[in-house]
Amino acid sequence: MKSISYFLLTVFACSIFYGCNNRTKHSEKQNDTRTTQVSELSQKDKFPFPEIPTTITAQEERKAFLLEHLWDNFDFTDTALVKNRDIIEQGFSKQIALLNAPSINTEALSSSIQRLCSAMEKSELSRHVFMDLFDDYLFDPNSPCYNENIYAVYLQRMTKSNFLSEAEKSRLNFRLKLISRNRPGEEATSFTY
């Protein structure tokens, strides 16, 4: 009778130990799975910035490289990605910040806007989303990024686009004429009072 009691007690203790140990392994496996899922989600929610080569060490050269290759890893045909404004704004705001740097010359500015416009205009959804971004960031007077100089370069480029209708180009031309008035260093537009 004692041997049966010891045997049952041993089996009971082993089953509890095995169950707890198995539960710990299961919990660790769940934690690993959750960590992987969170990491994958966070990667999906980040803009695919290009990797700057380690051989480029000068700050200005790094900025120039980033400005030139900022949109290389972005898929303008991926509708889910294009519709995710949080991701797009990460890249777009970075580009605007780089273009606002005092060291950026007009050639680099035009080249950067040209590359972005060429990439975005081929997909209708991308074109509409990015045109809205340009308007919101650079033309809205309440925007902290409001910049008529960058916006004018964008407008000049898009008025030459083969993917826009004449009505869309007319709207862009109107805005270009509007922001070209009363520029610093130029003669002011006549008005009556």
Side-chain angles (χ1 to χ4, degrees), residues 141-193:
N142 295 320
S143 169
C145 300
Y146 180 83
N147 187 311
E148 290 180 351
N149 294 329
I150 298 173
Y151 193 65
V153 172
Y154 152 75
L155 290 173
Q156 290 167 352
R157 165 57 181 83
M158 291 307 288
T159 55
K160 298 173 186 160
S161 174
N162 295 327
F163 297 92
L164 295 179
S165 68
E166 288 306 314
E168 290 172 310
K169 288 181 182 181
S170 176
R171 181 179 65 87
L172 296 177
N173 272 320
F174 174 77
R175 284 192 174 176
L176 185 57
K177 287 177 187 172
L178 185 66
I179 65 172
S180 297
R181 292 182 187 168
N182 304 324
R183 305 287 295 163
E186 294 180 7
E187 188 175 322
T189 306
S190 296
F191 62 93
T192 56
Y193 63 96

Side-chain angles (χ1 to χ4, degrees), residues 63 67-68 70-71 91-116 134 138 147 149-151 153-154:
K63 286 179 185 177
L67 197 55
E68 185 175 337
L70 186 63
W71 298 96
F92 192 79
S93 62
K94 184 66 170 178
Q95 181 170 10
I96 299 304
L98 290 168
L99 292 175
N100 273 321
S103 61
I104 295 298
N105 59 32
T106 53
E107 184 181 318
L109 171 65
S110 295
S111 176
S112 177
I113 296 294
Q114 169 68 31
R115 274 192 300 280
L116 175 56
F134 273 104
L138 301 173
N147 187 311
N149 294 329
I150 298 173
Y151 193 65
V153 172
Y154 152 75

Side-chain angles (χ1 to χ4, degrees), residues 1-10:
M1 194 71 157
K2 278 186 177 182
S3 62
I4 292 176
S5 297
Y6 284 123
F7 176 73
L8 290 175
L9 186 60
T10 305

Side-chain angles (χ1 to χ4, degrees), residues 44-49 70-71 74-96 116 120 123 125-134 136-137:
K44 288 179 183 177
D45 291 339
K46 289 185 180 177
F47 182 80
F49 286 102
L70 186 63
W71 298 96
F74 188 85
D75 184 3
F76 289 88
T77 60
D78 183 347
T79 55
L81 186 59
V82 171
K83 287 181 179 180
N84 190 334
R85 190 158 169 137
D86 291 337
I87 292 176
I88 290 176
E89 284 184 349
Q90 291 173 28
F92 192 79
S93 62
K94 184 66 170 178
Q95 181 170 10
I96 299 304
L116 175 56
M120 71 160 188
S123 162
L125 176 63
S126 290
R127 188 169 59 248
H128 289 297
V129 168
F130 278 90
M131 288 178 77
D132 286 345
L133 270 178
F134 273 104
D136 293 347
Y137 271 71

